[in-house]
Amino acid sequence: MFRPNEDDGDLATPAGPIHDTAKRRIRDWMASPLALRRVRKTTIAALLSALVSATLLLWVDSRPSVEKREGCDRGATCSGGDHFEAQLDRARKQLFTGRLDYTKPSSLRLTVGKPSYFRAAVLGTWVVKKEDVQSEKVTVGGQVTVSLHCSGVATCTPISSKRQSVTDDPRFKDGPAWVWEVTPKEAGTVYFALTVTSYYENTTTVLYEKPPITADAEVKEARKEEGATSWVADAYGWFKKMIEELALIAAGLATVLGLWLAWKTRNSYQPTGSREPPQGTVPTQPTQPGQAQSPTSTTARTGPTAGDNPPSDTR
């Protein structure tokens, strides 16, 4: 027999002694200590299952970004930030261990007033090292800059390109080189700091920078010549200075003399057409053919002027 459910008239629930017995047994089991322990275990298992599921979900959500970054490394299309980070990671993986060769500071033999040259080179392959060169291992690659900082009694002026490319290709045994002119100002100690920096392509992003390599060197005074050599050097310097001064004096005198001659020539010049015969003389008449011209002009009828000698009597 079935008895209609009081809560829902459309559904029918079975009624009878079997149904009542089942309900009573379930109530008794739920009230027993064994049931409570099982409920607790079930609750703890459910909580642990939820925690594990959340952890798996978080791990699965993080995988796409890693795959995306790996895809950027393989050349796939990525966003701006992810692509730049992927390129930097790939560039850092391509760095290699090279060798930095630089001049021993003690071999410079620095002297006041005499410039010396400090050289550095980054090599990607093995080559024979020179005697006056020190070597250091350095991590490099791509675009490299080697900087030399000087302090103390000398200045360092770079005379080579600042940024150069470095490769580990064995076909290129001579690596890029940097040169500085070291000019001591006075006697004392000069301190050097050499820095090697690798950049990402042509940007200012640093891939790796080696800690500065420090060194120092002594600067000595210029040695003065002694004995006969000193006398010859002094005589030569005096003679050279005297020649230079005489050349300057001669050039000044020649300039003054030239100006004086130009002024005198300009004031003494007169045109020939404006010249008149002296007073008291009569111009000579042109001679006929066959007649000789009188060597002197005839005097005026007024007689000789004062100061002239009277004609002598030839009789």
Side-chain angles (χ1 to χ4, degrees):
M1 256 177 103
F2 288 92
R3 183 176 59 191
N5 191 1
E6 297 178 355
D7 297 332
D8 190 359
D10 296 336
L11 299 176
T13 58
I18 298 177
H19 178 71
D20 294 339
T21 303
K23 290 175 64 176
R24 186 173 56 254
R25 288 182 177 179
I26 292 173
R27 265 197 305 304
D28 295 341
W29 180 81
M30 291 292 294
S32 66
L34 179 62
L36 293 176
R37 287 196 298 269
R38 288 184 177 180
V39 169
R40 292 172 184 172
K41 291 180 180 179
T42 304
T43 304
I44 294 173
L47 292 175
L48 291 176
S49 177
L51 182 61
V52 171
S53 299
T55 305
L56 290 175
L57 287 175
L58 292 175
W59 179 73
V60 171
D61 291 339
S62 64
R63 285 187 59 82
S65 61
V66 176
E67 294 176 355
K68 185 177 181 181
R69 187 168 298 175
E70 292 177 354
C72 293
D73 290 341
R74 293 192 296 267
T77 303
C78 308
S79 61
D82 293 338
H83 179 71
F84 185 70
E85 291 180 2
Q87 293 293 333
L88 287 181
D89 292 340
R90 185 171 63 179
R92 288 191 175 97
K93 292 178 182 178
Q94 292 177 350
L95 295 176
F96 57 92
T97 301
R99 193 179 80 186
L100 172 66
D101 291 350
Y102 59 94
T103 305
K104 289 182 180 179
S106 58
S107 65
L108 293 174
R109 297 181 178 84
L110 298 174
T111 306
V112 177
K114 295 182 179 180
S116 301
Y117 296 95
F118 188 99
R119 294 175 174 84
V122 177
L123 308 174
T125 57
W126 185 89
V127 294
V128 179
K129 186 176 68 173
K130 299 180 180 179
E131 295 182 357
D132 58 343
V133 170
Q134 285 186 345
S135 299
E136 295 280 347
K137 289 184 178 181
V138 60
T139 302
V140 291
Q143 299 287 326
V144 177
T145 296
V146 179
S147 304
L148 179 66
H149 304 277
C150 297
S151 60
V153 297
T155 57
C156 298
T157 304
I159 57 177
S160 59
S161 299
K162 186 175 181 181
R163 183 180 292 193
Q164 303 185 48
S165 299
V166 179
T167 179
D168 57 348
D169 193 333
R171 294 176 298 177
F172 302 96
K173 295 184 179 181
D174 295 332
W178 289 261
V179 183
W180 296 266
E181 185 181 71
V182 182
T183 306
K185 297 180 179 180
E186 57 183 354
T189 305
V190 56
Y191 302 94
F192 301 100
L194 195 64
T195 306
V196 182
T197 309
S198 297
Y199 292 94
Y200 172 66
E201 295 182 352
N202 292 325
T203 66
T204 57
T205 304
V206 177
L207 297 177
Y208 180 82
E209 183 173 79
K210 183 177 178 62
I213 302 172
T214 58
D216 59 81
E218 294 296 327
V219 179
K220 298 181 180 180
E221 291 284 355
R223 187 178 62 181
K224 297 181 179 180
E225 299 292 341
E226 299 179 356
T229 307
S230 176
W231 181 85
V232 173
D234 294 341
Y236 173 76
W238 176 83
F239 182 74
K240 183 178 179 181
K241 186 176 180 180
M242 183 184 64
I243 292 296
E244 292 176 354
E245 293 179 355
L246 289 177
L248 291 176
I249 294 173
L253 291 177
T255 302
V256 173
L257 181 61
L259 292 175
W260 180 76
L261 290 175
W263 176 80
K264 183 177 180 181
T265 303
R266 181 177 179 182
N267 291 339
S268 62
Y269 174 75
Q270 292 183 1
T272 55
S274 62
R275 184 174 297 178
E276 297 180 357
Q279 187 177 3
T281 61
V282 179
T284 57
Q285 298 296 330
T287 58
Q288 297 295 331
Q291 294 181 359
Q293 187 177 359
S294 174
T296 58
S297 61
T298 58
T299 58
R301 293 181 180 272
T302 56
T305 58
D308 294 338
N309 294 326
S312 58
D313 190 2
T314 57
R315 295 181 180 177

PDB file of all heavy atoms in Angstrom, residues 53 127 137 188 219 222 285:
ATOM      1  N   SER A  53      42.102  20.548  -5.169  1.00  0.00           N
ATOM      2  CA  SER A  53      41.499  21.016  -6.419  1.00  0.00           C
ATOM      3  C   SER A  53      41.851  22.479  -6.691  1.00  0.00           C
ATOM      4  O   SER A  53      42.162  22.865  -7.821  1.00  0.00           O
ATOM      5  CB  SER A  53      39.975  20.838  -6.343  1.00  0.00           C
ATOM      6  OG  SER A  53      39.643  19.475  -6.166  1.00  0.00           O
ATOM      7  N   VAL A 127      93.966  32.991 -27.432  1.00  0.00           N
ATOM      8  CA  VAL A 127      95.134  33.460 -28.174  1.00  0.00           C
ATOM      9  C   VAL A 127      96.292  33.558 -27.194  1.00  0.00           C
ATOM     10  O   VAL A 127      96.114  33.555 -25.972  1.00  0.00           O
ATOM     11  CB  VAL A 127      94.888  34.830 -28.846  1.00  0.00           C
ATOM     12  CG1 VAL A 127      93.830  34.727 -29.935  1.00  0.00           C
ATOM     13  CG2 VAL A 127      94.488  35.873 -27.808  1.00  0.00           C
ATOM     14  N   LYS A 137      88.937  36.728 -16.644  1.00  0.00           N
ATOM     15  CA  LYS A 137      87.755  36.134 -17.256  1.00  0.00           C
ATOM     16  C   LYS A 137      86.584  37.096 -17.128  1.00  0.00           C
ATOM     17  O   LYS A 137      86.409  37.739 -16.092  1.00  0.00           O
ATOM     18  CB  LYS A 137      87.413  34.809 -16.593  1.00  0.00           C
ATOM     19  CG  LYS A 137      88.394  33.690 -16.904  1.00  0.00           C
ATOM     20  CD  LYS A 137      87.932  32.383 -16.295  1.00  0.00           C
ATOM     21  CE  LYS A 137      88.885  31.243 -16.632  1.00  0.00           C
ATOM     22  NZ  LYS A 137      88.429  29.947 -16.050  1.00  0.00           N
ATOM     23  N   GLY A 188     103.404  61.256  -8.391  1.00  0.00           N
ATOM     24  CA  GLY A 188     102.494  60.715  -7.396  1.00  0.00           C
ATOM     25  C   GLY A 188     101.927  59.376  -7.842  1.00  0.00           C
ATOM     26  O   GLY A 188     102.580  58.624  -8.574  1.00  0.00           O
ATOM     27  N   VAL A 219     103.850  57.682 -10.760  1.00  0.00           N
ATOM     28  CA  VAL A 219     104.298  58.659 -11.749  1.00  0.00           C
ATOM     29  C   VAL A 219     105.574  59.309 -11.234  1.00  0.00           C
ATOM     30  O   VAL A 219     105.619  59.807 -10.097  1.00  0.00           O
ATOM     31  CB  VAL A 219     103.221  59.730 -12.003  1.00  0.00           C
ATOM     32  CG1 VAL A 219     103.717  60.759 -13.022  1.00  0.00           C
ATOM     33  CG2 VAL A 219     101.943  59.071 -12.507  1.00  0.00           C
ATOM     34  N   ALA A 222     110.268  63.950 -14.544  1.00  0.00           N
ATOM     35  CA  ALA A 222     111.088  63.822 -15.748  1.00  0.00           C
ATOM     36  C   ALA A 222     112.561  63.897 -15.362  1.00  0.00           C
ATOM     37  O   ALA A 222     112.974  64.769 -14.587  1.00  0.00           O
ATOM     38  CB  ALA A 222     110.741  64.921 -16.745  1.00  0.00           C
ATOM     39  N   GLN A 285     116.996 126.231 -79.424  1.00  0.00           N
ATOM     40  CA  GLN A 285     116.222 126.028 -80.636  1.00  0.00           C
ATOM     41  C   GLN A 285     116.578 124.688 -81.243  1.00  0.00           C
ATOM     42  O   GLN A 285     117.697 124.223 -81.129  1.00  0.00           O
ATOM     43  CB  GLN A 285     116.539 127.152 -81.649  1.00  0.00           C
ATOM     44  CG  GLN A 285     116.164 128.547 -81.146  1.00  0.00           C
ATOM     45  CD  GLN A 285     114.662 128.707 -80.941  1.00  0.00           C
ATOM     46  OE1 GLN A 285     113.879 128.063 -81.633  1.00  0.00           O
ATOM     47  NE2 GLN A 285     114.286 129.581 -80.000  1.00  0.00           N
TER      48      GLN A 285
END
